[in-house]
Amino acid sequence: MILLETIVEPVAATGMYAHLWLMIAVPALSAAVLLLAGRVSDAWGHLLATAAVIVSFGVALAVFTSMLINDPGVRRVSLPLYTWFSTGEWEFGVGLLVDQLSILFALLITGVGSLIHIYAIGYMAHDARRRRFFAYLNLFIAAMLVLVLADNYLVLFVGWEGVGLASYLLISFWQHKPAAAAAGVKALVMNRVGDLGMLIAIFTMLALFGSSSFAVVNAGVAEAPGFWVTVMGFALLLGACGKSAQVPLQAWLLDAMEGPTPVSALIHAATMVTAGVYLVVRSHAIFELAPIAQTAVVVVGTVTLLAGAWIGCAQDDIKKVLAGSTMSQIGYMMLAAGIGPAGYAFAIFHLLTHGFFKANMFLGAGSLMHGMHEGVDMRRYGALRTAMKVTFWTFAMGYLAIIGFPLFSGYFSKDHIIEAAFEHNLVVGLCALIGAGITAFYMTRLMLMTFFGERRWDEGVHPHESPKVMTIPLIVLAVFSVGAGIVMNNWIQGWLEPALGVHPHELSLVPTPVGLLTMAVVAVGVALSWFVFGRGPIPRVAPATRNPITLAGRNVLFADQANGLLFTGPTVATAHAVDVTDRVGIDGAADGTGRAFGGLSAMVRRVQSGYARSYALMMLFGVLAVGVVLILSQLG
Amino acid sequence: MTVLEFAAPVLEWRALAPILLVLAAGCLGILLEAVLPHHLRFVAQMSLVLASVVLSLAFLVINWFRGISGVLAMGSITLDGPAYFLWGALLVFGALAFMVFSERRVNGGVTAFAASAAAVPGSVEEAESARAGREHTEVFPLGLFALGGMMVFLAASDLITLFVALEVFSLPLYLMCAMARRRRLLSQEAALKYFLLGAFSSGFFLMGIALLYVYSGSFDLAAIHDAVTASVFGEGLLIAGLALLGVGLLFKIGAVPFHSWTPDVYMGAPTPVTGFMAICTKLAAVGALLRVFYVALDGERWTWQPLLAIIAVLTMVVGITAALTQTDIKRLLAYSSIAHAGFILTAVVGASQIVPAGQATSAASIMFYLAAYGFATIGAFALVTMVRNPAGEENGLAGWAGLARKNPAVAGLMALFMLSFAGIPLTGGFIGKWAVFTAAWRGGYWWLVIVAALASLVGAWFYLRVIVVMFGQEPAKGTFVGSASAWTWIPVVIGAVATLWLGMLPDSVMQLATFAGTFLR
């Protein structure tokens, strides 16, 4: 089952690889400069930050090129940096590992990151705290690169926490809005639950193998007791659920849309939220030996892809629709990653294409908001295709990609997943298929409500196209949304093979029966959506409804209520109980002790009379007491 | 009939150089006092003191790396691991304390010492010398003599040398205690009490030496050890001698019930001198106590362990209990130093001297404790000199209220030292407590460790109270933080850095202490 022999031992870093650390160091340094230099850097901070990410992208590109040039046997490169700490027999090094998997991620992070930095120059132009925003973005890039380039789980965890911090800082970037501040806290707290899973997994690894490095864990897992492998699998899955907003830890993602839109595009669509998928794929050796945990991954993925799609159908806030869709698409990736060797490459493939088309659409949404005075309610949009042409066309490319229109990027990546799901299990396959239909439904709804129909704009709103600094990244991303699939379709499996230990499937451009079926379902979804939303006028206020399905969708499947009932309520009650115990019981005991000793202290003070004669007498008594004790101890 | 002939002593000059340098500089300082005009004395004495201490430290380090050790000066001084470590610590803390001696800015341009110590307080003469801006620079040579005496005290390998060294370092201390510039009556009273009680305890000390000599026929610690292990009679003499010698040593440490001098003397003495005493005297006395009990009386440990265990408990409990209601920061620190003596005694009681390789002996753990305690003490007393009211130092805890708002740096550093005293993790105090408790536990005194842990729990209360007063209360009127020169700030900063260093990266010093943790017999 596990194809260890195909996993190539990493080779030492030379040449371009030796400069790998620059990829992380440059944005980290830039973030430090921007945060420490203060207002001095207000004028040029955003330019420095953008340059830093572009440099980072350049390094990634150079590394990628040298990997392409090199023999496949030496594409897995490790770069030990220094010993972090050693305790007892354990030694923890900080080291980087770049292989076929992590370089793709690095390219996505730095490439899309660069575009989003450029975009944000325009988007955040009038924000008083622009420099800080860019510093946090750089911090995020550095942390995310640590996450994907780490050669062991402990360093990965550093990046994991780093992106969590950056995510928190950026979600609540507009901290003057109570909703934004609350959303940041919510994301942080829910991610803590996932982090707990990560920690349990890492502790288990340390206990079992004495190391957290990928190489040691992958090699040792075959001999490890099955129970503990399953524990690690579930713990890692919990971590992945937190970071990737998978059910049951999904509730934070929609609130996270309170952050500025470039943040939503970069962190909460293209990169950070896919870290869970990366984690599962990177830990494939563990999951392959823990079938229960693997099944759990499939279940989580399937449930989330349907839940996200459901939410996407009922929201009116354009960013929240996209967030629901992000959940759903990551659900697809999780599903693929859980299927086993057959799905890894497709999970990563979809991750990359999704990174492009979702970033594209989020940035498009940002452009719309820019033109619509920060309005996000699609019921106040309509007929924007003429007012904002570039945004419309680029957005349309993303739309076609996500619904899986033939030859667009999502077509390849999503169809492979659906096919693999059918091969895995009929129910899972059907769910994935239905999910594709719903995706087509709600994305068409979004398109119709935003770009078509009549104008439902608020008074005084005059939509206009965004400046070039924002539209050019959109165009670039649109190109990728269209072309990334066809370019990578036949290449990615072979490329990832050494990293994942899986032999590629034969793929053909001719649609398979499942592919044809998918197209049909998608077409039904589009048609249904047009039937509902395309023909008549759309009310400017969401109509009241008693339809439980719609209500559940509008209320994000009552996740907040469920969390409140199941976790927040009991936690708050426990906190109150602890507080009361602390104040009455423990403080009481402590104060009582303090008072008792205070009384004793007053007595001791009285002995300290200040007279040398009484001191001398006390000493004399002391000597006598010493004598008595010694005599007694001789007798005893 | 033999004729007494004078035989010239054979001295290992190089090995003894650290002591000889300090004492010689003291003598030179007295000469300078006689020949230099007033206005040159301060700078000359200060430079001489610091130069001699640094030079002595350099010699010590060189000797250490050359591996020089053994019984020196015709059997009167033993240079072994603990002697090296404690000498080094004494010289470092001595240097830091002398820096605080040199502080003048915070005091309005003069040192903290009396303008004319011989003048009657409140007399015209006193007022005149104060107006003339005179100062007693004799305090520097006195400090050097005390330091030299302490060094000999903790390394002495015969009882006569031990006694002479005791007096050599005690007499200058009595004098220095009497030299406060302000509140001179209090200062003189403190000195007199210290002197009287010190003389009283010296009597016991000397009697103990005499009894041990009668018992063993020798003053030499190693010879006493042989007598203890070999002989079966005269047990009464041994125990009486042990008891009386122990009393003398416990007096210097400030263990209960021989502690009564400590609060009065700490409060009355000039604060820089209090800082010097609080660490250097304690360090020297603990060193000597360890040497006497571990080298000479090791064979009798079943006798003294229970006794010292009781004294340790008493010392911790009384020190901490009394500290709870103190309203004067110097008195509070005095009781705190008593409590710390108790914690140190727990490890003395444990007497774990043979331990697995790489682990700390009792002596090693105590040495680490002393280092951690010393840096925090030096820093804390230096900060005490900076908190002032118009009349001088503000020692009342009420005056410290809200200090954090007036000077966050001073309050924060004081809080750090308090946390170290309380044994909060990430400070040296925590590792020190951990080390001495481990040593006591390993020696089989687990109940003592439990008592000590509970005591330190209660003790945390009054250390935290200082922090609460500084950070949580409305600022007191009339108190301000004086502007101090580098002579105060250097010890404070070194103390703070070392406190954190010993708390976070204790390995280096712990390894050094472990390496130096075995006495030579």
Side-chain angles (χ1 to χ4, degrees), chain A residues 86 590-591 593-631 633-634, chain B residues 189 193 196-197 200-201 204 235 239 242-244 247 251 257-264 300 302-304 306-307 310-311 317-318 320-327 331 335 458 461:
Chain A
S86 60
D591 289 352
T593 317
R595 243 169 269 137
F597 272 96
L600 204 60
S601 181
M603 282 161 62
V604 173
R605 273 180 80 172
R606 224 163 291 145
V607 179
Q608 196 73 23
S609 59
Y611 292 115
R613 55 177 185 264
S614 61
Y615 292 174
L617 193 64
M618 198 178 359
M619 277 178 67
L620 193 60
F621 280 132
V623 173
L624 291 178
V626 165
V628 170
V629 169
L630 285 179
I631 290 166
S633 70
Q634 289 302 302
Chain B
E189 183 191 329
K193 273 183 199 165
L196 285 174
L197 296 172
F200 193 44
S201 87
F204 290 118
E235 187 80 350
I239 291 174
L242 177 158
L244 295 178
V247 167
F251 173 84
F258 316 106
H259 68 289
S260 353
W261 60 275
T262 316
D264 293 10
E300 199 62 20
W302 309 119
T303 307
W304 54 257
L307 171 72
I310 293 172
I311 289 180
V317 170
V318 170
I320 281 169
T321 316
L324 288 178
T325 47
Q326 296 306 320
T327 53
R331 274 188 101 79
Y335 280 109
V458 177
W461 194 84

Side-chain angles (χ1 to χ4, degrees), chain A residues 138-507:
Chain A
N138 267 192
L139 180 69
F140 169 78
I141 297 280
M144 190 71 203
L145 288 169
V146 170
L147 197 166
V148 298
L149 292 175
D151 72 346
N152 67 61
Y153 283 96
L154 212 58
V155 175
L156 180 147
F157 189 67
V158 172
W160 191 266
E161 291 297 290
V163 293
L165 170 69
S167 160
Y168 164 74
L169 292 171
L170 286 166
I171 291 172
S172 36
F173 184 73
W174 286 321
Q175 62 210 30
H176 52 88
K177 292 199 296 186
V185 172
K186 187 172 176 183
L188 194 74
V189 169
M190 295 202 73
N191 267 294
R192 289 252 85 63
V193 181
D195 296 345
L196 186 70
M198 281 294 286
L199 283 174
I200 291 171
I202 293 173
F203 294 157
T204 313
M205 284 165 199
L206 294 180
L208 287 177
F209 314 118
S211 164
S212 72
S213 97
F214 296 142
V216 176
V217 172
N218 287 344
V221 77
E223 267 102 63
F227 171 75
W228 288 109
V229 178
T230 309
V231 167
M232 276 192 284
F234 271 99
L236 288 172
L237 175 61
L238 183 63
C241 282
K243 199 58 82 195
S244 291
Q246 299 291 292
V247 174
L249 297 177
Q250 83 288 8
W252 63 271
L253 185 61
L254 261 67
D255 291 351
M257 297 302 126
E258 290 291 344
T261 307
V263 173
S264 309
L266 178 62
I267 302 186
H268 304 116
T271 56
M272 184 191 83
V273 285
T274 55
V277 180
Y278 171 79
L279 183 71
V280 172
V281 173
R282 185 55 96 186
S283 315
H284 64 93
I286 294 172
F287 283 99
E288 278 160 21
L289 290 173
I292 308 177
Q294 210 172 15
T295 310
V297 175
V298 173
V299 172
V300 164
T302 313
V303 170
T304 310
L305 83 87
L306 291 174
W310 187 351
I311 294 168
C313 292
Q315 295 290 327
D316 291 330
D317 176 334
I318 186 168
K319 284 182 74 181
K320 292 198 169 171
V321 175
L322 290 175
S325 130
T326 302
M327 264 175 72
S328 172
Q329 298 303 311
I330 296 171
Y332 275 107
M333 299 170 208
M334 275 287 177
L335 164 60
I339 285 173
Y344 299 144
F346 302 142
I348 299 302
F349 188 16
H350 194 51
L351 193 157
L352 295 172
T353 55
H354 173 257
F356 296 130
F357 62 67
K358 190 50 70 62
N360 173 16
M361 286 192 285
F362 259 114
L363 294 186
S367 177
L368 290 169
M369 288 162 64
H370 202 71
M372 298 297 287
H373 293 225
E374 301 302 318
V376 288
D377 189 350
M378 295 190 299
R379 294 185 184 279
R380 308 290 164 95
Y381 284 2
L384 287 171
R385 69 180 180 284
T386 48
M388 302 172 75
K389 282 209 179 72
V390 180
T391 307
F392 167 65
W393 281 109
T394 55
F395 205 104
M397 297 304 116
Y399 161 72
L400 293 174
I402 193 174
I403 66 168
F405 194 81
L407 301 185
F408 280 67
S409 62
Y411 165 73
F412 297 100
S413 53
K414 205 198 299 183
D415 277 16
H416 293 324
I417 294 178
I418 296 174
E419 272 177 53
F422 268 110
E423 278 172 39
H424 181 71
N425 181 303
L426 185 64
V427 179
V428 174
L430 283 174
C431 289
L433 186 65
I434 294 168
I438 306 178
T439 307
F441 176 79
Y442 69 74
M443 286 311 297
T444 311
R445 171 176 177 264
L446 186 153
M447 287 301 283
L448 291 173
M449 286 173 80
T450 305
F451 293 108
F452 296 91
E454 77 286 18
R455 296 177 176 185
R456 301 181 300 275
W457 308 340
D458 283 337
E459 268 176 54
V461 171
H462 303 291
H464 54 86
E465 189 55 270
S466 302
K468 284 234 165 48
V469 72
M470 288 167 70
T471 51
I472 289 172
L474 282 177
I475 294 166
V476 175
L477 283 169
V479 169
F480 276 101
S481 305
V482 176
I486 200 161
V487 169
M488 290 195 285
N489 188 34
N490 280 317
W491 168 80
I492 191 159
Q493 286 198 71
W495 172 257
L496 285 173
E497 179 201 336
L500 302 174
V502 183
H503 296 293
H505 290 251
E506 285 301 316
L507 294 176

